[in-house]
Amino acid sequence: MDTGNEPTRSGIGDNVRTYVDNHRLLTYFVVIEALLVFGAWYLDTWVSFVLTKSGDDISDIAAGLLGGWAVIFALIGLVGVCLFVASRLWLRVGRSIGRGSA
């Protein structure tokens, strides 16, 4: 019989699952950013694909494009975090002004 007083087993998997459930957007962002960076690194380091004998290495070009998208995605995330922090600060300042004038 479960009375709710028994200690629950909480492992690292449960902690990660809870964090992902509570911060879903951040988790998606981190996973996408990691995939872009890993893809660029993999293409640049381990893959070599050329169309002709004297042509450019297409995998280096693809790695550069993926790296560029990773930087753009990181900048978008940074702007989003700054907007989030600014809005929280704005709400906090607004509440403190509201209390001070009452």
Side-chain angles (χ1 to χ4, degrees), residues 3-83:
T3 62
N5 294 329
E6 291 83 11
T8 58
R9 293 180 57 183
S10 160
I12 186 86
D14 292 331
N15 292 340
V16 169
R17 192 174 303 114
T18 302
Y19 186 82
V20 168
D21 286 341
N22 292 337
H23 302 93
R24 193 170 305 270
L25 183 63
L26 176 66
T27 304
Y28 290 155
F29 178 81
V30 168
V31 167
I32 291 171
E33 183 71 24
L35 286 174
L36 286 172
V37 169
F38 177 76
W41 170 80
Y42 183 79
L43 281 174
D44 191 40
T45 307
W46 298 102
V47 177
S48 179
F49 183 74
V50 235
L51 290 178
T52 62
K53 289 184 180 183
S54 62
D56 291 331
D57 192 354
I58 293 179
S59 60
D60 286 344
I61 296 169
L65 290 173
L66 276 178
W69 277 110
V71 169
I72 290 171
F73 199 66
L75 290 175
I76 290 171
L78 183 64
V79 168
V81 166
C82 288
L83 288 174

Side-chain angles (χ1 to χ4, degrees), residues 97-102:
I97 291 174
R99 275 191 231 147
S101 64

